[in-house]
Amino acid sequence: MRVGVSPLISAGVVAYAQRVVAALPGRGKDSLVLREADLSELCTALDDDELDLIVVPAVLPLTRYRHRVIGSEPVVLVEPGAGDAAGPANSASPADPAAPASPAEARAAAARIDDVARRTLLLVPDTCGLTTFTRDLLADRGLPLRAYSGEAASYRVLEDWAGMGLGSALLPRSKVTRADSSTRPVVDARGAAVTITYEAAWDSASPIADELDILAGLLAS
């Protein structure tokens, strides 16, 4: 079973997918072949029948395929510098990105989306889905995106650059890895947590469509 995953997907989800596939009738521990790639590459591989199923952020209308939401996690604003009033934040466990906020994060004042729009935002290239999510989050509310003129190569670089004071960054909580990163939960106008959603997509005409449906269902459970 050939499964493609976005770099945004937590290691815990990938490990669970491996265990699920190995437990399917007629399968085993070597039955899963993983490919990690950016969103556009994964979609092309699915189109070209090079992958059976992809797990990606739900930022594109994958209308040609069956798809199922498998989970979501809170988004945080990584602030410039470290050790400010927001305090240090520890990331959620990769195996449980929806885990409750750390005590430091819980004490931090939430950042409303209009607050986010007033920041200079650090971005990664518009290929993995995170930048598309950020643009859509603001555009859907008629808010401008003030983007830093450069681009970071990875989520860790976003944290490093925020720590250097170059700007702020939006990240899924599970992608915050530095213990000294200052983060604030992001909320909408009603005070509800802003989350990023992940989904599995596959071709219903695939010869193993039944297995893929089972895998997606178990990932969502």
Side-chain angles (χ1 to χ4, degrees), residues 36 106 213:
E36 183 181 88
D213 185 70

Side-chain angles (χ1 to χ4, degrees), residues 110-115 137 141 185-195:
R112 297 172 71 95
I113 295 178
D114 53 348
D115 294 332
L137 179 69
R141 294 159 176 81
V186 180
V187 298
D188 62 19
R190 299 169 312 204
V194 171
T195 61

Side-chain angles (χ1 to χ4, degrees), residues 22-210:
L24 291 173
R27 299 283 184 177
K29 64 179 183 178
D30 297 325
S31 295
L32 180 66
V33 177
L34 286 169
R35 179 192 301 186
E36 183 181 88
D38 287 327
L39 181 59
S40 57
E41 183 179 337
L42 293 175
C43 290
T44 298
L46 190 61
D47 288 341
D48 294 343
D49 195 30
E50 296 173 1
L51 290 172
D52 299 307
L53 178 143
I54 59 175
V55 184
V56 294
V59 296
L60 294 178
L62 301 174
T63 54
R64 289 184 52 194
Y65 298 104
R66 291 195 63 184
H67 48 98
R68 178 176 296 183
V69 171
I70 65 161
S72 63
E73 65 173 308
V75 173
V76 298
L77 180 68
V78 184
E79 301 273 42
D84 62 10
N90 296 320
S91 67
S93 166
D96 187 11
S102 67
E105 185 181 324
R107 291 193 300 268
R112 297 172 71 95
I113 295 178
D114 53 348
D115 294 332
V116 174
R118 288 191 285 269
R119 306 300 183 92
T120 296
L121 292 180
L122 305 166
L123 303 173
V124 289
D126 197 7
T127 52
C128 69
L130 180 60
T131 295
T132 300
F133 170 84
T134 301
R135 292 185 188 279
D136 290 350
L137 179 69
L138 297 176
D140 288 349
R141 294 159 176 81
L143 296 171
L145 171 64
R146 301 169 184 249
Y148 178 68
S149 56
E151 288 183 331
S154 68
Y155 313 125
R156 181 59 184 267
V157 174
L158 287 179
E159 283 189 87
D160 291 342
W161 284 7
M164 293 165 56
L166 296 182
S168 303
L170 288 179
L171 279 176
R173 196 200 296 153
S174 67
K175 293 302 175 185
V176 177
T177 60
R178 288 180 47 154
D180 62 347
S181 286
S182 296
T183 67
R184 297 168 65 191
V186 180
V187 298
D188 62 19
R190 299 169 312 204
V194 171
T195 61
I196 184 168
T197 300
Y198 305 117
E199 65 180 351
W202 68 98
D203 189 344
S204 60
S206 168
I208 58 171
D210 289 345

